[in-house]
Coordinates of all heavy atoms in Angstrom, one line a residue:
M1 N -7.4 20.3 18.2 CA -6.5 20.0 17.1 C -5.9 18.6 17.2 O -5.7 18.0 16.1 CB -5.3 21.0 17.2 CG -5.7 22.4 16.7 SD -6.3 22.4 15.0 CE -4.9 22.8 14.1
A2 N -5.7 18.0 18.3 CA -5.1 16.7 18.4 C -6.1 15.7 17.8 O -5.6 14.8 17.1 CB -4.8 16.3 19.9
G3 N -7.4 15.8 18.1 CA -8.3 14.9 17.5 C -8.4 15.0 16.0 O -8.5 14.0 15.3
L4 N -8.2 16.2 15.4 CA -8.2 16.4 14.0 C -7.0 15.8 13.4 O -7.1 15.1 12.3 CB -8.3 17.9 13.7 CG -8.3 18.3 12.2 CD1 -9.5 17.7 11.5 CD2 -8.3 19.8 12.0
Q5 N -5.9 16.0 14.0 CA -4.6 15.4 13.5 C -4.7 13.9 13.5 O -4.3 13.2 12.5 CB -3.4 15.8 14.4 CG -2.1 15.4 13.8 CD -0.9 15.9 14.6 OE1 -1.1 16.4 15.7 NE2 0.3 15.7 14.1
Q6 N -5.2 13.3 14.5 CA -5.4 11.8 14.6 C -6.3 11.3 13.4 O -6.0 10.4 12.8 CB -5.9 11.4 15.9 CG -6.0 9.9 16.0 CD -6.6 9.4 17.4 OE1 -7.0 10.2 18.2 NE2 -6.5 8.1 17.6
T7 N -7.4 12.1 13.2 CA -8.3 11.7 12.1 C -7.5 11.7 10.8 O -7.7 10.8 10.0 CB -9.5 12.6 12.1 OG1 -10.1 12.5 13.3 CG2 -10.4 12.3 11.0
N8 N -6.8 12.7 10.5 CA -6.0 12.8 9.3 C -5.0 11.7 9.2 O -4.8 11.1 8.1 CB -5.3 14.2 9.2 CG -6.3 15.3 8.9 OD1 -7.4 15.1 8.3 ND2 -5.9 16.5 9.3
S9 N -4.3 11.4 10.3 CA -3.4 10.3 10.3 C -4.0 9.0 10.0 O -3.5 8.1 9.3 CB -2.6 10.2 11.7 OG -1.9 11.4 11.9
E10 N -5.2 8.8 10.6 CA -6.0 7.5 10.3 C -6.4 7.4 8.8 O -6.3 6.4 8.2 CB -7.2 7.5 11.2 CG -6.9 7.2 12.6 CD -8.1 7.2 13.5 OE1 -9.2 7.5 13.0 OE2 -8.0 7.0 14.7
K11 N -6.8 8.5 8.3 CA -7.2 8.6 6.9 C -6.0 8.2 6.0 O -6.1 7.5 5.0 CB -7.7 9.9 6.5 CG -9.1 10.2 7.0 CD -9.6 11.5 6.6 CE -11.0 11.8 7.2 NZ -11.5 13.1 6.8
I12 N -4.8 8.8 6.3 CA -3.6 8.5 5.5 C -3.2 7.0 5.6 O -2.9 6.4 4.6 CB -2.5 9.4 6.0 CG1 -2.8 10.9 5.6 CG2 -1.1 9.0 5.4 CD1 -1.9 11.9 6.2
L13 N -3.3 6.5 6.8 CA -2.9 5.1 7.1 C -3.9 4.2 6.3 O -3.5 3.2 5.7 CB -2.9 4.8 8.5 CG -2.4 3.4 8.9 CD1 -1.0 3.1 8.4 CD2 -2.4 3.2 10.4
L14 N -5.2 4.5 6.4 CA -6.2 3.7 5.7 C -6.0 3.7 4.2 O -6.1 2.7 3.5 CB -7.6 4.1 6.0 CG -8.2 3.6 7.3 CD1 -9.6 4.3 7.6 CD2 -8.4 2.1 7.3
S15 N -5.7 4.9 3.7 CA -5.4 5.1 2.3 C -4.2 4.2 1.8 O -4.2 3.6 0.8 CB -5.1 6.5 1.9 OG -4.8 6.7 0.6
W16 N -3.1 4.2 2.7 CA -1.9 3.4 2.4 C -2.3 1.9 2.4 O -1.9 1.2 1.4 CB -0.9 3.7 3.5 CG 0.4 2.9 3.4 CD1 1.4 3.1 2.5 CD2 0.7 1.8 4.2 NE1 2.4 2.1 2.7 CE2 2.0 1.3 3.8 CE3 0.1 1.2 5.3 CZ2 2.6 0.3 4.4 CZ3 0.8 0.1 5.9 CH2 2.0 -0.3 5.4
V17 N -3.1 1.5 3.3 CA -3.5 0.1 3.4 C -4.3 -0.3 2.1 O -4.1 -1.3 1.5 CB -4.2 -0.3 4.7 CG1 -4.8 -1.7 4.6 CG2 -3.3 -0.2 5.9
R18 N -5.2 0.6 1.8 CA -6.1 0.3 0.6 C -5.2 0.2 -0.7 O -5.5 -0.6 -1.5 CB -7.1 1.4 0.4 CG -8.3 1.3 1.4 CD -9.3 2.3 1.0 NE -10.2 2.6 2.1 CZ -10.2 3.8 2.8 NH1 -9.5 4.8 2.4 NH2 -11.0 3.9 3.8
Q19 N -4.2 1.1 -0.8 CA -3.4 1.0 -1.9 C -2.6 -0.3 -2.0 O -2.5 -0.9 -3.0 CB -2.4 2.2 -1.9 CG -1.5 2.3 -3.1 CD -0.5 3.5 -3.1 OE1 -0.5 4.2 -2.1 NE2 0.2 3.6 -4.1
L20 N -2.1 -0.7 -0.9 CA -1.3 -2.0 -0.8 C -2.1 -3.2 -1.0 O -1.7 -4.2 -1.5 CB -0.6 -2.1 0.5 CG 0.6 -1.2 0.7 CD1 1.2 -1.3 2.1 CD2 1.7 -1.4 -0.3
T21 N -3.4 -3.2 -0.7 CA -4.3 -4.3 -0.8 C -5.3 -4.3 -2.0 O -6.1 -5.1 -2.1 CB -5.1 -4.5 0.5 OG1 -5.9 -3.4 0.8 CG2 -4.1 -4.8 1.7
R22 N -5.1 -3.3 -2.8 CA -6.1 -3.2 -3.9 C -6.1 -4.3 -4.9 O -7.1 -4.6 -5.6 CB -5.8 -1.8 -4.7 CG -4.6 -1.8 -5.5 CD -4.4 -0.5 -6.3 NE -3.2 -0.4 -7.0 CZ -2.0 0.0 -6.5 NH1 -2.0 0.5 -5.3 NH2 -0.9 0.0 -7.3
N23 N -5.0 -5.1 -5.0 CA -4.9 -6.3 -5.9 C -5.5 -7.5 -5.2 O -5.4 -8.6 -5.8 CB -3.5 -6.5 -6.4 CG -3.0 -5.4 -7.2 OD1 -3.8 -4.8 -8.0 ND2 -1.8 -5.1 -7.1
Y24 N -6.1 -7.4 -4.1 CA -6.7 -8.5 -3.3 C -8.2 -8.3 -3.3 O -8.7 -7.6 -2.4 CB -6.1 -8.6 -1.9 CG -4.6 -8.9 -1.9 CD1 -3.7 -7.8 -2.1 CD2 -4.0 -10.1 -1.9 CE1 -2.3 -8.0 -2.1 CE2 -2.7 -10.4 -1.9 CZ -1.8 -9.3 -2.0 OH -0.5 -9.5 -2.0
P25 N -8.9 -8.9 -4.2 CA -10.4 -8.6 -4.3 C -11.2 -9.0 -3.1 O -12.2 -8.4 -2.8 CB -10.8 -9.3 -5.6 CG -9.7 -10.3 -5.9 CD -8.5 -9.8 -5.3
Q26 N -10.7 -9.9 -2.3 CA -11.4 -10.3 -1.1 C -11.3 -9.3 0.1 O -11.9 -9.4 1.1 CB -10.9 -11.7 -0.6 CG -10.9 -12.8 -1.6 CD -9.6 -12.8 -2.5 OE1 -8.9 -11.9 -2.6 NE2 -9.4 -13.9 -3.2
V27 N -10.4 -8.4 -0.1 CA -10.1 -7.4 1.0 C -10.7 -6.1 0.7 O -10.5 -5.5 -0.4 CB -8.5 -7.3 1.2 CG1 -8.2 -6.3 2.3 CG2 -7.9 -8.6 1.4
N28 N -11.4 -5.5 1.7 CA -12.0 -4.2 1.5 C -11.8 -3.5 2.9 O -12.6 -3.6 3.8 CB -13.5 -4.3 1.2 CG -14.1 -2.9 1.0 OD1 -13.4 -2.0 0.6 ND2 -15.4 -2.8 1.2
V29 N -10.8 -2.7 3.0 CA -10.5 -2.0 4.2 C -11.1 -0.6 4.2 O -10.8 0.2 3.4 CB -8.9 -1.8 4.4 CG1 -8.6 -1.0 5.7 CG2 -8.2 -3.2 4.4
I30 N -12.1 -0.5 5.1 CA -12.8 0.8 5.2 C -12.7 1.4 6.6 O -13.0 2.6 6.8 CB -14.3 0.6 4.9 CG1 -15.0 -0.4 5.7 CG2 -14.5 0.3 3.4 CD1 -16.5 -0.5 5.6
N31 N -12.2 0.7 7.6 CA -12.0 1.2 8.9 C -11.0 0.4 9.7 O -10.4 -0.5 9.1 CB -13.4 1.2 9.7 CG -14.0 -0.2 9.7 OD1 -13.3 -1.2 10.0 ND2 -15.3 -0.3 9.5
F32 N -10.8 0.7 10.9 CA -9.8 0.0 11.7 C -10.4 -1.0 12.7 O -9.8 -1.5 13.6 CB -8.9 1.0 12.6 CG -7.9 1.7 11.8 CD1 -8.1 3.1 11.5 CD2 -6.8 1.1 11.2 CE1 -7.1 3.8 10.8 CE2 -5.9 1.7 10.5 CZ -6.1 3.1 10.2
T33 N -11.7 -1.4 12.4 CA -12.3 -2.4 13.3 C -12.8 -3.6 12.4 O -12.0 -4.5 12.3 CB -13.5 -1.7 14.1 OG1 -14.4 -1.1 13.1 CG2 -13.0 -0.7 15.0
T34 N -13.9 -3.5 11.9 CA -14.5 -4.7 11.2 C -13.7 -5.1 9.9 O -13.7 -6.3 9.6 CB -16.0 -4.4 10.8 OG1 -16.0 -3.2 9.9 CG2 -16.8 -4.1 12.0
S35 N -13.0 -4.2 9.3 CA -12.3 -4.5 8.1 C -11.1 -5.5 8.4 O -10.6 -6.1 7.5 CB -11.7 -3.3 7.5 OG -12.7 -2.4 7.0
W36 N -10.7 -5.6 9.6 CA -9.6 -6.5 10.0 C -10.0 -7.8 10.7 O -9.2 -8.7 10.9 CB -8.7 -5.7 10.9 CG -8.2 -4.4 10.3 CD1 -8.8 -3.2 10.2 CD2 -7.0 -4.3 9.5 NE1 -8.1 -2.3 9.5 CE2 -6.9 -3.0 9.0 CE3 -6.0 -5.2 9.2 CZ2 -5.9 -2.5 8.3 CZ3 -4.9 -4.7 8.4 CH2 -4.9 -3.3 8.0
S37 N -11.3 -7.9 11.0 CA -11.7 -9.0 11.8 C -11.6 -10.4 11.2 O -11.6 -11.4 11.9 CB -13.1 -8.8 12.3 OG -14.0 -8.7 11.2
D38 N -11.6 -10.5 9.8 CA -11.6 -11.8 9.2 C -10.1 -12.2 8.9 O -9.9 -13.3 8.4 CB -12.4 -11.8 7.9 CG -11.9 -10.9 6.8 OD1 -10.9 -10.2 7.0 OD2 -12.6 -10.8 5.8
G39 N -9.2 -11.4 9.2 CA -7.8 -11.8 9.0 C -7.2 -11.5 7.6 O -6.0 -11.6 7.4
L40 N -8.1 -11.3 6.6 CA -7.6 -11.1 5.3 C -6.8 -9.9 5.1 O -5.8 -9.9 4.4 CB -8.8 -11.1 4.3 CG -9.6 -12.4 4.2 CD1 -10.8 -12.3 3.3 CD2 -8.7 -13.5 3.5
A41 N -7.2 -8.8 5.7 CA -6.4 -7.5 5.5 C -5.0 -7.7 6.1 O -4.0 -7.2 5.4 CB -7.1 -6.4 6.2
F42 N -4.8 -8.3 7.2 CA -3.5 -8.5 7.8 C -2.6 -9.3 6.9 O -1.5 -9.0 6.6 CB -3.6 -9.2 9.2 CG -4.0 -8.3 10.3 CD1 -5.2 -8.4 10.9 CD2 -3.1 -7.3 10.7 CE1 -5.6 -7.6 12.0 CE2 -3.5 -6.4 11.8 CZ -4.7 -6.6 12.4
N43 N -3.2 -10.4 6.4 CA -2.5 -11.3 5.5 C -2.2 -10.6 4.2 O -1.1 -10.8 3.6 CB -3.3 -12.6 5.3 CG -3.1 -13.6 6.4 OD1 -2.0 -14.2 6.5 ND2 -4.1 -13.8 7.2
A44 N -3.1 -9.9 3.6 CA -2.9 -9.2 2.3 C -1.8 -8.2 2.5 O -0.9 -8.0 1.6 CB -4.1 -8.5 1.8
L45 N -1.7 -7.5 3.6 CA -0.7 -6.5 3.9 C 0.7 -7.2 3.9 O 1.6 -6.7 3.3 CB -1.0 -5.8 5.2 CG -0.3 -4.5 5.4 CD1 -0.6 -3.5 4.3 CD2 -0.8 -3.9 6.8
L46 N 0.8 -8.3 4.6 CA 2.0 -9.0 4.6 C 2.4 -9.6 3.2 O 3.5 -9.4 2.8 CB 1.9 -10.2 5.6 CG 1.8 -9.8 7.1 CD1 1.4 -11.1 7.9 CD2 3.1 -9.3 7.6
H47 N 1.4 -10.1 2.6 CA 1.6 -10.7 1.2 C 2.1 -9.7 0.2 O 2.9 -10.0 -0.7 CB 0.4 -11.5 0.8 CG 0.7 -12.4 -0.4 ND1 0.4 -12.1 -1.7 CD2 1.2 -13.7 -0.4 CE1 0.7 -13.0 -2.5 NE2 1.2 -14.0 -1.7
S48 N 1.5 -8.5 0.3 CA 1.9 -7.4 -0.6 C 3.3 -7.1 -0.5 O 4.0 -6.6 -1.5 CB 1.0 -6.2 -0.4 OG 1.3 -5.5 0.8
H49 N 3.9 -7.2 0.7 CA 5.3 -6.9 0.9 C 6.2 -8.1 0.7 O 7.3 -7.9 0.2 CB 5.5 -6.4 2.3 CG 5.1 -5.0 2.5 ND1 5.8 -3.9 2.0 CD2 4.0 -4.5 3.2 CE1 5.1 -2.8 2.4 NE2 4.1 -3.1 3.1
R50 N 5.8 -9.3 1.1 CA 6.6 -10.5 1.0 C 5.8 -11.7 0.4 O 5.4 -12.6 1.2 CB 7.1 -10.8 2.4 CG 8.2 -9.9 2.9 CD 9.5 -10.0 2.3 NE 10.0 -11.3 2.2 CZ 10.8 -11.9 3.2 NH1 11.0 -11.2 4.3 NH2 11.2 -13.1 3.1
P51 N 5.4 -11.7 -0.8 CA 4.6 -12.8 -1.4 C 5.3 -14.1 -1.3 O 4.6 -15.1 -1.5 CB 4.4 -12.3 -2.8 CG 5.4 -11.3 -3.1 CD 5.8 -10.7 -1.8
D52 N 6.6 -14.1 -1.1 CA 7.3 -15.4 -1.0 C 7.1 -16.1 0.3 O 7.4 -17.3 0.4 CB 8.8 -15.1 -1.1 CG 9.4 -14.2 -0.1 OD1 8.8 -13.0 0.0 OD2 10.3 -14.6 0.6
L53 N 6.5 -15.5 1.3 CA 6.3 -16.1 2.6 C 5.2 -17.1 2.7 O 5.2 -18.0 3.5 CB 6.1 -15.0 3.7 CG 7.4 -14.2 3.9 CD1 7.0 -13.1 5.0 CD2 8.6 -15.0 4.3
F54 N 4.1 -16.9 1.9 CA 3.0 -17.9 1.9 C 2.1 -17.8 0.7 O 2.2 -16.8 -0.1 CB 2.1 -17.6 3.2 CG 1.5 -16.3 3.3 CD1 0.2 -16.1 2.8 CD2 2.2 -15.2 3.9 CE1 -0.4 -14.8 2.9 CE2 1.6 -14.0 4.0 CZ 0.3 -13.8 3.5
D55 N 1.3 -18.8 0.5 CA 0.4 -18.9 -0.7 C -0.9 -18.2 -0.3 O -1.6 -18.6 0.6 CB 0.2 -20.4 -1.0 CG -0.8 -20.6 -2.1 OD1 -1.1 -19.6 -2.9 OD2 -1.4 -21.7 -2.2
W56 N -1.2 -17.1 -1.0 CA -2.4 -16.3 -0.7 C -3.6 -17.1 -0.8 O -4.5 -17.0 0.0 CB -2.4 -15.0 -1.6 CG -3.7 -14.3 -1.5 CD1 -4.7 -14.3 -2.4 CD2 -4.1 -13.5 -0.4 NE1 -5.7 -13.5 -2.0 CE2 -5.4 -13.0 -0.7 CE3 -3.6 -13.2 0.9 CZ2 -6.2 -12.2 0.1 CZ3 -4.4 -12.4 1.7 CH2 -5.6 -11.9 1.3
S57 N -3.8 -17.8 -1.9 CA -5.0 -18.6 -2.2 C -5.3 -19.6 -1.1 O -6.5 -19.9 -0.7 CB -5.0 -19.2 -3.5 OG -3.9 -20.2 -3.6
A58 N -4.3 -20.2 -0.5 CA -4.5 -21.1 0.6 C -5.0 -20.4 1.8 O -5.9 -21.0 2.5 CB -3.2 -21.8 1.0
V59 N -4.6 -19.2 2.1 CA -5.1 -18.5 3.3 C -6.5 -18.1 3.1 O -7.3 -18.2 4.0 CB -4.2 -17.2 3.5 CG1 -4.8 -16.3 4.5 CG2 -2.8 -17.6 3.9
V60 N -6.9 -17.7 1.9 CA -8.2 -17.2 1.6 C -9.2 -18.4 1.6 O -10.3 -18.3 2.3 CB -8.3 -16.5 0.2 CG1 -9.7 -16.2 -0.2 CG2 -7.5 -15.3 0.2
S61 N -8.9 -19.5 1.0 CA -9.9 -20.5 0.8 C -9.9 -21.6 1.9 O -11.0 -22.3 2.0 CB -9.6 -21.2 -0.5 OG -8.4 -21.9 -0.5
Q62 N -8.9 -21.8 2.7 CA -8.9 -22.9 3.6 C -8.9 -22.6 5.1 O -8.7 -23.5 5.9 CB -7.7 -23.8 3.3 CG -7.8 -24.3 1.9 CD -6.6 -25.2 1.5 OE1 -5.7 -25.4 2.3 NE2 -6.5 -25.7 0.3
Q63 N -9.0 -21.3 5.5 CA -8.8 -21.0 6.9 C -10.0 -20.2 7.4 O -10.6 -19.4 6.7 CB -7.5 -20.3 7.1 CG -6.3 -21.1 6.8 CD -5.0 -20.4 7.1 OE1 -5.0 -19.2 7.4 NE2 -3.9 -21.1 7.0
S64 N -10.3 -20.4 8.7 CA -11.3 -19.6 9.4 C -10.7 -18.2 9.7 O -9.5 -18.0 9.6 CB -11.7 -20.3 10.7 OG -10.7 -20.2 11.6
P65 N -11.5 -17.2 10.1 CA -11.0 -15.9 10.5 C -9.9 -16.0 11.6 O -8.9 -15.3 11.5 CB -12.2 -15.1 10.9 CG -13.3 -15.7 10.1 CD -13.0 -17.2 10.0
V66 N -10.2 -16.8 12.6 CA -9.2 -16.9 13.7 C -7.9 -17.5 13.2 O -6.8 -17.1 13.5 CB -9.8 -17.7 14.9 CG1 -8.7 -18.1 15.9 CG2 -10.9 -17.0 15.5
Q67 N -8.0 -18.6 12.3 CA -6.8 -19.2 11.8 C -6.0 -18.2 10.9 O -4.8 -18.2 10.9 CB -7.2 -20.4 10.9 CG -7.6 -21.6 11.8 CD -8.2 -22.7 10.9 OE1 -8.9 -22.5 10.0 NE2 -7.8 -23.9 11.3
R68 N -6.8 -17.4 10.1 CA -6.1 -16.4 9.2 C -5.4 -15.3 10.1 O -4.3 -14.9 9.7 CB -7.1 -15.7 8.3 CG -7.6 -16.7 7.2 CD -8.3 -15.9 6.1 NE -9.6 -15.4 6.6 CZ -10.8 -16.0 6.4 NH1 -10.9 -17.1 5.7 NH2 -11.9 -15.4 6.8
L69 N -6.0 -14.9 11.2 CA -5.4 -13.9 12.0 C -4.1 -14.5 12.7 O -3.1 -13.9 12.7 CB -6.4 -13.4 13.1 CG -7.5 -12.5 12.6 CD1 -8.6 -12.4 13.7 CD2 -6.9 -11.1 12.3
D70 N -4.3 -15.7 13.2 CA -3.1 -16.4 13.8 C -2.0 -16.6 12.8 O -0.8 -16.4 13.1 CB -3.6 -17.8 14.4 CG -2.5 -18.3 15.3 OD1 -2.0 -17.6 16.2 OD2 -2.2 -19.5 15.1
H71 N -2.4 -16.9 11.5 CA -1.4 -17.1 10.5 C -0.6 -15.8 10.2 O 0.6 -15.7 10.2 CB -2.1 -17.5 9.2 CG -1.2 -17.6 8.0 ND1 -1.0 -16.6 7.1 CD2 -0.3 -18.6 7.6 CE1 -0.1 -16.9 6.2 NE2 0.3 -18.2 6.5
A72 N -1.4 -14.7 10.1 CA -0.7 -13.4 9.9 C 0.2 -13.0 11.0 O 1.3 -12.5 10.8 CB -1.8 -12.3 9.7
F73 N -0.3 -13.2 12.2 CA 0.5 -12.8 13.4 C 1.8 -13.6 13.5 O 2.9 -13.1 13.9 CB -0.3 -12.8 14.7 CG -1.5 -11.9 14.7 CD1 -2.5 -12.1 15.5 CD2 -1.6 -10.8 13.8 CE1 -3.6 -11.2 15.6 CE2 -2.7 -10.0 13.8 CZ -3.7 -10.2 14.7
N74 N 1.7 -14.9 13.2 CA 2.8 -15.8 13.2 C 3.8 -15.5 12.1 O 5.1 -15.5 12.4 CB 2.4 -17.3 13.1 CG 1.8 -17.8 14.4 OD1 2.2 -17.3 15.5 ND2 0.9 -18.7 14.3
I75 N 3.4 -15.2 10.9 CA 4.3 -14.8 9.8 C 5.0 -13.5 10.2 O 6.2 -13.4 10.0 CB 3.5 -14.7 8.5 CG1 3.0 -16.0 8.0 CG2 4.3 -14.0 7.4 CD1 4.0 -17.0 7.5
A76 N 4.2 -12.6 10.7 CA 4.8 -11.3 11.0 C 5.9 -11.4 12.1 O 7.0 -10.8 12.0 CB 3.8 -10.3 11.5
W77 N 5.7 -12.3 13.1 CA 6.6 -12.5 14.1 C 7.9 -13.3 13.6 O 9.0 -12.9 13.9 CB 6.0 -13.3 15.3 CG 6.9 -13.8 16.3 CD1 7.1 -15.1 16.6 CD2 7.8 -13.0 17.2 NE1 8.1 -15.2 17.6 CE2 8.5 -13.9 18.0 CE3 8.0 -11.7 17.3 CZ2 9.5 -13.5 18.9 CZ3 9.0 -11.2 18.2 CH2 9.7 -12.2 19.0
Q78 N 7.6 -14.4 13.0 CA 8.7 -15.3 12.6 C 9.6 -14.7 11.5 O 10.8 -14.9 11.5 CB 8.1 -16.6 12.1 CG 7.5 -17.4 13.2 CD 6.7 -18.6 12.6 OE1 6.6 -18.8 11.4 NE2 6.1 -19.4 13.5
H79 N 9.0 -14.0 10.5 CA 9.8 -13.6 9.4 C 10.1 -12.1 9.4 O 11.0 -11.6 8.7 CB 9.1 -13.9 8.1 CG 8.9 -15.4 7.9 ND1 9.9 -16.2 7.4 CD2 7.9 -16.2 8.2 CE1 9.5 -17.4 7.4 NE2 8.3 -17.5 7.8
L80 N 9.4 -11.3 10.1 CA 9.6 -9.8 10.1 C 9.9 -9.3 11.5 O 10.2 -8.1 11.6 CB 8.3 -9.1 9.5 CG 7.9 -9.6 8.1 CD1 6.6 -9.0 7.7 CD2 9.0 -9.3 7.1
G81 N 9.9 -10.1 12.5 CA 10.2 -9.6 13.8 C 9.2 -8.7 14.5 O 9.5 -7.9 15.3
I82 N 7.9 -8.8 14.0 CA 6.9 -7.9 14.5 C 6.2 -8.6 15.7 O 5.7 -9.7 15.5 CB 5.9 -7.5 13.4 CG1 6.6 -6.8 12.3 CG2 4.7 -6.7 14.0 CD1 5.7 -6.5 11.1
E83 N 6.2 -8.0 16.8 CA 5.6 -8.7 18.0 C 4.1 -8.9 17.9 O 3.4 -8.1 17.2 CB 5.8 -7.8 19.2 CG 7.3 -7.6 19.7 CD 7.8 -8.8 20.4 OE1 7.0 -9.6 21.0 OE2 9.0 -9.0 20.4
K84 N 3.7 -10.0 18.5 CA 2.2 -10.3 18.5 C 1.6 -9.4 19.6 O 1.8 -9.7 20.8 CB 2.0 -11.7 18.8 CG 2.5 -12.7 17.7 CD 2.1 -14.1 18.2 CE 2.7 -15.1 17.2 NZ 2.3 -16.5 17.6
L85 N 0.9 -8.4 19.2 CA 0.3 -7.5 20.1 C -1.2 -7.8 20.3 O -1.9 -7.2 21.2 CB 0.5 -6.0 19.7 CG 1.9 -5.6 19.6 CD1 2.0 -4.2 19.1 CD2 2.6 -5.7 21.0
L86 N -1.8 -8.5 19.4 CA -3.2 -8.9 19.5 C -3.4 -10.3 19.6 O -2.6 -11.1 19.1 CB -3.9 -8.4 18.2 CG -3.8 -6.9 17.9 CD1 -4.4 -6.6 16.5 CD2 -4.6 -6.1 18.9
D87 N -4.5 -10.7 20.2 CA -4.9 -12.1 20.3 C -6.0 -12.4 19.3 O -7.0 -11.7 19.2 CB -5.4 -12.4 21.7 CG -5.8 -13.9 21.9 OD1 -5.8 -14.7 21.0 OD2 -6.2 -14.2 23.1
P88 N -5.8 -13.4 18.4 CA -6.8 -13.7 17.3 C -8.2 -13.9 17.9 O -9.2 -13.7 17.2 CB -6.3 -14.9 16.7 CG -4.8 -14.9 16.9 CD -4.7 -14.3 18.2
E89 N -8.3 -14.4 19.1 CA -9.6 -14.7 19.7 C -10.3 -13.4 20.0 O -11.5 -13.2 20.0 CB -9.5 -15.5 21.0 CG -8.9 -16.9 20.7 CD -9.9 -17.8 20.0 OE1 -11.1 -17.7 20.1 OE2 -9.4 -18.6 19.3

């Protein structure tokens, strides 16, 4: 039962992320691994809540995946108090 409950929780979380990022055509969240590796999903999630914190088009067009991940983690830490738990590398 614990495995089934986790699966349902993951589906709910993925659905929530998809809903929040649906207006970002460059973002396609289908799982918790490869969908996050280019940094766009993290940034879109932040931007969907606080679009005043950064220019979305600059993040999409001018940064590498590592830079985008670093950007998202720094914004989350500096403006939202979310600890950096992952290393962009």
Side-chain angles (χ1 to χ4, degrees):
M1 286 302 267
L4 181 61
Q5 184 177 14
Q6 183 179 10
T7 300
N8 288 335
S9 298
E10 287 176 357
K11 287 180 183 178
I12 291 167
L13 186 56
L14 280 173
S15 176
W16 176 75
V17 171
R18 283 188 203 113
Q19 182 179 5
L20 289 175
T21 60
R22 72 179 177 268
N23 293 326
Y24 298 84
Q26 305 88 342
V27 178
N28 183 26
V29 178
I30 56 172
N31 58 41
F32 285 111
T33 55
T34 57
S35 295
W36 301 86
S37 62
D38 65 4
L40 291 173
F42 284 111
N43 278 288
L45 198 55
L46 291 168
H47 194 261
S48 71
H49 284 288
R50 293 285 308 273
D52 59 305
L53 294 179
F54 61 93
D55 178 19
W56 171 254
S57 61
V59 169
V60 172
S61 64
Q62 298 179 359
Q63 297 182 351
S64 72
V66 171
Q67 289 172 318
R68 287 192 295 260
L69 287 165
D70 194 48
H71 176 265
F73 299 160
N74 285 330
I75 292 291
W77 168 244
Q78 293 169 358
H79 297 280
L80 304 174
I82 299 171
E83 293 285 336
K84 294 181 184 182
L85 299 176
L86 300 172
D87 181 355
E89 296 291 328

